Amino acid sequence: MTTRSEPRPYLNPYLAGALLGLVLFLAFFFTGGGLGASGALSHVQAGIEKWFAPGHVDRVAYLADMAGGRRNSWDNSGVYMLVGTLLGGLASGLLHRRARLEIRKGPRVSNGARLALAFAGGVVMAYGARMARGCTSGQALSGGAVLAVGSWAFMFAVFGGGYAVAWFLRRLWT
Amino acid sequence: MAPFDVNGLAGTVGYALAFGAIGFGFGAVLEMAGFGDTRKLAAQFYLTEMTVLKVMFTAIAVAAVLLALASGFGLLDMSRVFVNPTFLPSEILGGLIMGVGFVLGGFCPGTSLVAASTLKIDGMLFVLGGLAGVFLFGESVGSYEPFWLSGNLGRFTLPEWLGLSTGLTVLLVVLLALTAFLAAEAIERRFGPARASVRRRPRLAWAGAGVLLAAGLVLAARGDPGPEQRWRWLPAAIRQQVAERAVLASPAEVVALRKDTALRVEMLDLRSEHDFNLFHVGGAERVTRADLTTPARLRRLLEAPPSTITFLADNGEGPALEVWKDLRSRGVANLYVLEGGMNRWLELYPVPDCVATRGPGPLGGAPEYRFLYATGDSLPASWPELPRSRAFRLPCATAVVSGGEGAGEYLWPNHAYTRRVKPQVKAVVKGGCG
């Protein structure tokens, strides 16, 4: 591997945080809402489900809210933001030579186990995010910045839940 | 004044592009912070690297300071900004579940998108798992909906909870963040590999901390803007409404609206308890200006459905107009002032002479009707929208009211009025995760 294709180092976390804060502020300033990711996942999922079971989508209140009847689940600000997030991540990854097909994992975990756990983690994470009405971006970041009480409680709960199980799952990461 | 009405753009390419651009910045910054690498995220829970805490808390502090500055200087109307409603039970349980998922899968939803977009296979699997997770939620939430909807505190912010000004709360957030950063650096020195980030560029970090702290101090020292200041920041068109008397609705219009069953008409009576007891409009609520600006009360006014029309009443108009300006500058919509106040109401819908007589002077800001006893809302004049008020016990046998067809019956004339009330639907802002 030559030095030319070596991935560039990551940004200083405080600088990255300040930039993220600026993006978050601009989102609020221009659109009146913050950032988000998990809400868009719901819209994508409801949109997919509607292809297969439109009647079912109409009957479940939570789904009907997004995709019921003539509602278009895809035409949603969160979905546009999700597409932007993917493109932004890809652009920065290409620019900093970090976009490459690979698996990142802890040192003691096999590839298969990592992928299975990533999927399982995604299931658990997204389930919790919908229950909490937002993920780390939509609740902790956005709600934290506008000083919502529930978002701060949520943030401490996420860290609390993580630290509570970290010791038991230490084989995964250390 | 910001935020801008993006809902007006809905369905256009511009709408998609605006949110796409915000997402682009979001994704790019997450990637630059290293959040596409699951090891960097998981390290947070093993204390070897505190990047997650540093980035998140910096972002929250910077955004909170910028938001408070923008709203404190009249550039941003916070009442139109989405604040995640507080549902403590589901938020705390959901947060705990997410914490477990974080350690299991090594991402949160936003960071998994960035990992997937930079071709990390584990990130792609996490996104697929996320789709499965939202599917499971959609299918199962119905079985425990009461829990999911429990503890709804609506728009509830830390300044309201702590009883502090927004500026002071933001200063506390900054101080909390800086303390957490010091702790994070100490933890990294203790548990992490010897390359703590602040040592790489200490000057920049200290300068940033200084700027945040200074901004927090300025915000705390300034306090929240007063009513006069907020009023001056309003668009000229709204201030013009007062000059053109467009916010003053005749009692006759109030009566007409009270007949409309599709509307909810609220009458907030700002007079003293004494005047209120002597006579008030049926269903009116006596409030003081201080009552109306308490956080809980203000939230009720702000979250009222668009079919609610609220009127402010005083003896005259002056004090009610001041309260109108105050509430309007805080974002309350569908709010009007009773034209001519309760004096004008009693002129249009009089009570019998044996109950109250009108003073000699012209109608002004003081109560012009002398009541012999307190009537509350027991007289037909309190409920003129009821066409024939047979049910009322008449105070004196000889009562004859203008327009009445005979003794014992009240039939109010239909007074002419200029239509001033135009119910407005307030744009609903939803958050990215909504």
Side-chain angles (χ1 to χ4, degrees):
Chain A
M1 193 179 284
T2 62
T3 22
R4 279 278 312 148
S5 65
E6 196 77 347
R8 298 205 172 126
Y10 292 121
L11 215 53
N12 176 303
Y14 297 112
L15 189 55
L19 286 175
L20 184 55
L22 186 65
V23 173
L24 182 55
F25 166 73
L26 292 175
F28 276 118
F29 190 81
F30 286 106
T31 72
L35 300 168
S38 65
L41 281 186
S42 291
H43 277 269
V44 169
Q45 178 264 321
I48 294 173
E49 195 168 346
K50 197 177 175 178
W51 293 340
F52 300 104
H56 179 68
V57 168
D58 285 341
R59 278 191 297 275
V60 177
Y62 170 84
L63 296 170
D65 218 27
M66 295 182 282
R70 275 198 255 160
R71 278 183 207 172
N72 182 358
S73 189
W74 302 94
D75 183 17
N76 168 265
S77 58
V79 176
Y80 299 128
M81 201 182 286
L82 179 134
V83 174
T85 307
L86 288 171
L87 291 177
L90 178 63
S92 169
L94 288 174
L95 199 66
H96 298 99
R97 305 191 193 110
R98 293 190 286 254
R100 61 181 59 162
L101 200 65
E102 60 187 332
I103 298 173
R104 291 282 168 90
K105 59 189 178 65
R108 290 194 273 172
V109 180
S110 71
N111 279 349
R114 167 65 188 137
L115 294 185
L117 284 165
F119 185 85
V123 173
V124 174
M125 194 77 174
Y127 194 94
R130 292 322 296 158
M131 181 184 289
R133 294 176 177 77
C135 55
T136 331
S137 354
Q139 272 283 10
L141 275 182
S142 307
V146 291
L147 310 173
V149 172
S151 301
W152 281 79
F154 164 84
M155 194 169 4
F156 288 111
V158 173
F159 280 104
Y163 281 110
V165 295
W167 192 83
F168 302 101
L169 297 174
R170 63 191 181 283
R171 266 187 55 85
L172 300 182
W173 301 107
T174 56
Chain B
M1 188 159 53
F4 306 103
D5 186 13
V6 282
N7 290 300
L9 283 175
T12 66
V13 179
Y15 183 75
L17 285 180
F19 283 98
I22 290 165
F24 189 90
F26 181 43
V29 174
L30 286 184
E31 205 285 330
M32 286 192 274
F35 283 0
D37 184 349
T38 185
R39 292 169 302 189
K40 235 175 155 57
L41 298 164
Q44 173 69 40
F45 295 100
Y46 297 92
L47 306 180
T48 49
E49 198 180 325
M50 307 294 276
T51 305
V52 173
L53 179 139
K54 292 184 199 171
V55 173
M56 270 189 64
F57 232 156
T58 310
I60 290 173
V62 166
V65 164
L66 288 174
L67 286 169
L69 283 173
S71 82
F73 285 91
L75 300 171
L76 176 70
D77 180 0
M78 277 307 279
S79 72
R80 289 179 52 214
V81 164
F82 173 78
V83 172
N84 305 57
T86 290
F87 291 76
L88 284 180
S90 50
E91 280 177 303
I92 289 173
L93 183 63
L96 290 170
I97 293 172
M98 280 183 72
V100 175
F102 209 147
V103 178
L104 266 183
F107 291 112
C108 61
T111 54
S112 72
L113 292 177
V114 170
S117 75
T118 51
L119 308 181
K120 309 289 177 272
I121 302 168
D122 47 329
M124 299 175 194
L125 263 292
F126 190 99
V127 174
L128 287 179
L131 286 173
V134 293
F135 169 76
L136 285 179
F137 179 79
E139 298 305 316
S140 63
V141 64
S143 62
Y144 59 91
E145 210 153 30
F147 168 79
W148 192 54
L149 298 172
S150 66
N152 184 1
L153 298 175
R155 187 184 173 116
F156 184 41
T157 62
L158 293 176
E160 291 168 20
W161 180 52
L162 299 170
L164 302 172
S165 74
T166 304
L168 195 53
T169 314
V170 169
L171 177 64
L172 290 179
V173 167
V174 169
L175 288 173
L176 187 66
L178 296 180
T179 313
F181 298 153
L182 289 177
E185 295 300 335
I187 288 170
E188 280 184 351
R189 272 196 297 275
R190 170 87 177 71
F191 298 103
R195 47 171 196 82
S197 57
V198 79
R199 268 175 275 159
R200 277 193 311 191
R201 284 162 117 176
R203 238 184 252 157
L204 188 67
W206 284 113
V211 170
L212 272 184
L213 202 55
L217 284 170
V218 167
L219 284 167
R222 273 173 56 97
D224 294 345
E228 291 81 18
Q229 205 167 15
R230 275 196 310 272
W231 177 244
R232 280 201 303 278
W233 290 335
L234 280 182
I238 294 179
R239 286 178 294 169
Q240 190 68 21
Q241 288 181 337
V242 174
E244 289 170 356
R245 296 180 61 81
V247 304
L248 291 144
S250 154
E253 182 168 20
V254 176
V255 170
L257 292 171
R258 278 160 72 93
K259 286 177 185 165
D260 188 341
T261 48
L263 294 177
R264 178 182 164 83
V265 177
E266 292 210 341
M267 178 68 78
L268 300 177
D269 200 320
L270 296 157
R271 298 174 303 158
S272 70
E273 188 169 4
H274 175 259
D275 289 352
F276 182 80
N277 288 343
L278 287 179
F279 177 86
H280 60 256
V281 177
E285 183 186 358
R286 196 182 78 80
V287 290
T288 63
R289 182 173 181 166
D291 292 338
L292 288 176
T293 48
T294 58
R297 189 64 203 243
L298 200 58
R299 200 180 328 135
R300 256 178 58 198
L301 286 168
L302 286 169
E303 290 173 1
S307 58
T308 304
I309 314 284
T310 309
F311 293 94
L312 298 167
D314 207 299
N315 283 308
E317 293 170 355
L321 266 177
E322 287 309 307
V323 176
W324 185 89
K325 288 181 183 177
D326 190 359
L327 293 177
R328 188 66 191 81
S329 67
R330 292 170 196 259
V332 178
N334 292 325
L335 184 69
Y336 296 86
V337 170
L338 186 64
E339 189 178 41
M342 291 306 295
N343 286 333
R344 176 80 178 138
W345 182 285
L346 283 164
E347 192 178 42
L348 291 181
Y349 305 106
V351 296
D353 288 347
C354 61
V355 178
T357 49
R358 187 181 159 169
L363 299 183
E368 285 300 331
Y369 286 84
R370 307 267 171 277
F371 279 80
L372 295 178
Y373 54 89
T375 68
D377 62 357
S378 66
L379 290 180
S382 292
W383 308 89
E385 70 275 14
L386 306 179
R388 279 163 187 265
S389 319
R390 286 177 199 279
F392 291 98
R393 193 174 61 81
L394 293 178
C396 27
T398 56
V400 175
V401 170
S402 58
E405 282 177 346
E409 271 187 18
Y410 286 80
L411 186 65
W412 302 108
N414 285 319
H415 298 288
Y417 61 86
T418 322
R419 264 196 74 186
R420 296 270 169 67
V421 175
K422 297 175 187 73
Q424 284 177 336
V425 181
K426 215 174 131 181
V428 181
V429 195
K430 270 193 147 186
C433 266

